[in-house]
Structures are given as structure tokens and as C-alpha cells.
Amino acid sequence: MVQAPSTEPTGGRAADARPAPGVAPSAAASAVPATAPTAPAPAADHVISTTGLTKRFRGGQLAVDGLDLTVPRGSVFGFLGPNGSGKTTTIRMLMGLIAPTSGRATVLGESMPQSVGSVLPRVGALIEGPALYGFLSGRDNLARYDAADPTADPRTRDQRVREALDRVGLTAAAGKKARAYSLGMKQRLGLAAALLQPRELLVLDEPTNGLDPQGMREIRSLVREVAAEGTTVFLSSHLLDEIEQVCTHAAVMSRGRLVVQGTVAELAARAQGRLVVRTDDTAAAAGVLAAHGLAGVVASEGRVDAEAGHGAEDTLPKLCAALVEAGVRVRGFGVERGTLEDAFVAMTGEGFDVAG
């Protein structure tokens, strides 16, 4: 549930906490033509659905432009895009924290923001970082959040807090003042607040922000665990690697518009694979591939890459034979599948963060 504590906390937004007003709008520039999305499933199978959802901020800045989004029930849904692409603005509209300029959104089958009171008790959220009372311990912060939830049984509060702290690896730091927490520890505490009670939907905005590689792996594992328990997870990130490792479905945003949505496998399949030849004779290998009409031939230390193209698997034996015949010492040869990063670049022409 998204609720505000009774006094002003330090920090940003929190799981189950209403963010302070005055958030800077996400940047949005020229429109990117949207690729036709995957055919939507019946509405009953969606936990989130939007139609023409648009947000224009004062001064005319268009942060979200005509978003048509569908999030299947039971999915781990990656909401992917560079910083400033409209992800957080979209999440804030979905949670009823700001009103859309036009369009409509439903969450758990109910219209937002009209149904905030009935929807948010069924949702756990961490939006734009956790809002914490710096003078309270991590344990006491969670107790405050739990007490603000009218559906929470006070008799079992201590148990819920202990279990939430344990799930995010903060048991040893439970008694430490929140002001002494590192950024990664604060992020973990925000996740713990979102996990105090089982929810139908868990909304996470950049959940691995501030975490080291080990912490990122632990949060990915936690997301998978929560999803296995039946919770739909909506995870916003600018990290392609994060989405590809943990999500079943994804949508790509760019400059406030939806580029494409579908399963992660479908999106990655939009990228052409790369033919990779591992050899010390890179110049000779590059010449053979170019002579056989392969495009995008790139030689680097110990390997030569080229665009595989459609039907590449059928031509591999011929190419390998040509390399050997030319005297190229081949140590490895095959096609590497396209990645989500390749697909994003192909669809938008933009670069992207892969791992941080």
C-alpha cells in the first residue's frame, strides 16, 4: 500500500509511501515511431493496462506520449528505457501519485487514480528510492510503515518486520539508525517495506540502484522468489542486463513513447545474431567473410564478427570450409544470438547502459 508516514521523512520516495510533491518531470523529446506491440491478452489476464496514457507537465514538456501498455498477470515485467524516457512518470500515474493529462490506466482491474483507496492496499511499491526517518533504526522504520497499513494485524507486526529484514539481508543492521545506512542499504530497506505483506502486484523503480554486483544478484534472486509466490512484478530499469536476466516480459520506452512490448525472448529475437570466428588470423578471416558477402565485418583481437543475417545456419559449413581453404587457423566458429541490447539499438538507433 502507498501511504505517507505522519511526519516528513528524509530521503526520496518509499515503498508504501506517498512521495513528496514537486518531482522533476522526465525528459521527453521528439517522438519515436512505435513498433506494433504483441497482440494483447484478455483484460482479465492483465494487472496493468493503459490506453493513450499521456502526461504533459507545466511548460509543455511531454513526458509520456500516448502509452498503450499491457502487463500480463504472473509476469516479471521489465519497463525498460534510458533515464528520462518517461518510466518513473508512468509509474507515478499508475500508482495515482500524479494525474494523467489524458488517456486511462487500470491497475488490478480498477481505474486509476479514481480507485486509489481500493487498489493500493494490494500493491507494494518502491518508487524513486526509499523515504526514511533517519533518526529511527531500520527496524523501527519498517514498524512505522506497517503501522500505517490499515490491513496489517498489529499482533503479528514484529514477525513481519523480522521476516522482511531477513529477506533483504538487513537483519544484522536492523538496529542501526537509517541515517547511517549506505545507499544500497537504504534501497534494501525500501524493498523490505514493499515486502511486509504479500501483494498481488510489486512495483519497483530501479530496485538495484546503489547496490554492488553481489547486492544486485541478491535482489534479482529475491524478485524471482516473489514472482514464484504468485506476485506480478513490474520492474523499471535502465539496465538491459538486469531486464534480460530476471524478466519474462518487457516494454521499451524512448523519449516518452512505447517502442515495443512482448516477451523478452520475442524482443531479443528482433536482433540479428552475429557470426563469430575466433582466430589469430583476423585480417585473412575478415577478407574471406567480406568476399562471401557478409555485412558488418569487424575484426578485433582474436576474433572477427559479422552480421549473420537470415538463414546463416545453412551457410555455416560453406563459410567454415572457405576459411580453412584460405589457410585461416580457426579456433572457434558459430553464431551468437542477438541480445536485448542489440534489439534496442536496432529499434531505436540509441545506445544503452548494459550493466550500470
Side-chain angles (χ1 to χ4, degrees):
M1 182 179 63
V2 179
Q3 276 193 329
S6 56
T7 59
E8 184 68 21
T10 61
R13 280 79 186 158
D16 304 339
R18 182 181 298 115
V23 176
S26 298
S30 58
V32 174
T35 305
T38 302
D45 294 333
H46 296 155
V47 295
I48 294 173
S49 179
T50 71
T51 304
L53 192 66
T54 299
K55 182 62 180 180
R56 187 181 295 276
F57 286 97
R58 188 174 301 173
Q61 187 175 27
L62 187 60
V64 178
D65 184 9
L67 178 63
D68 296 334
L69 185 70
T70 54
V71 177
R73 185 176 298 277
S75 64
V76 180
F77 194 96
F79 197 39
L80 180 63
N83 291 326
S85 61
K87 303 188 306 296
T88 296
T89 300
T90 298
I91 290 174
R92 296 186 70 204
M93 287 191 283
L94 293 174
M95 295 294 96
L97 302 173
I98 57 175
T101 303
S102 61
R104 62 187 297 268
T106 61
V107 177
L108 299 176
E110 301 189 49
S111 296
M112 294 292 282
Q114 296 87 343
S115 303
V116 165
S118 58
V119 169
L120 293 189
R122 302 155 63 191
V123 178
L126 174 61
I127 305 173
E128 291 190 306
L132 305 173
Y133 294 99
F135 61 90
L136 293 179
S137 67
R139 181 188 299 108
D140 289 342
N141 267 280
L142 291 191
R144 282 286 188 101
Y145 282 123
D146 194 75
D149 184 349
T151 69
D153 184 349
R155 295 171 297 180
T156 54
R157 179 164 298 139
D158 289 346
Q159 178 182 348
R160 280 193 300 279
V161 168
R162 283 196 304 272
E163 290 175 351
L165 287 166
D166 183 62
R167 291 189 83 175
V168 300
L170 283 179
T171 298
K176 181 185 288 189
K177 294 287 191 292
R179 69 165 65 96
Y181 277 22
S182 67
L183 177 59
M185 292 170 69
K186 290 175 181 177
Q187 196 76 350
R188 289 172 183 268
L189 192 60
L191 280 168
L195 297 169
L196 279 166
Q197 294 217 71
R199 307 291 186 187
E200 292 179 53
L201 173 64
L202 182 62
V203 177
L204 305 176
D205 186 16
E206 302 283 357
T208 58
N209 182 40
L211 298 179
D212 59 21
Q214 177 61 29
M216 294 172 73
R217 285 192 291 270
E218 290 171 359
I219 295 306
R220 288 172 187 152
S221 177
L222 180 58
V223 166
R224 295 187 191 101
E225 178 185 323
V226 170
E229 294 169 357
T231 299
T232 301
V233 181
F234 184 79
L235 187 158
S236 164
S237 180
H238 69 284
L239 303 179
L240 282 155
D241 188 53
E242 183 169 79
I243 297 296
E244 196 158 19
Q245 288 192 47
V246 78
C247 294
T248 60
H249 296 70
V252 177
M253 293 284 288
S254 181
R255 301 184 180 96
R257 299 198 67 187
L258 178 69
V259 178
V260 68
Q261 62 183 318
T263 68
V264 168
E266 288 170 346
L267 300 191
R270 290 173 176 266
Q272 288 189 343
R274 300 284 295 175
L275 174 66
V276 178
V277 181
R278 299 187 185 279
T279 177
D280 294 328
D281 305 324
T282 53
V288 171
L289 297 184
H292 281 75
L294 273 72
V297 177
V298 178
S300 55
E301 186 175 355
R303 63 182 280 168
V304 178
D305 295 32
E307 294 178 10
H310 298 293
E313 299 289 345
D314 298 333
T315 64
L316 288 182
K318 179 181 177 181
L319 287 169
C320 188
L323 288 164
V324 173
E325 190 174 319
V328 176
R329 294 166 293 176
V330 177
R331 293 186 287 105
F333 183 82
V335 174
E336 293 183 353
R337 72 177 182 86
T339 66
L340 203 54
E341 179 187 13
D342 298 327
F344 182 88
V345 173
M347 286 184 285
T348 69
E350 295 185 42
F352 212 90
D353 287 344
V354 177

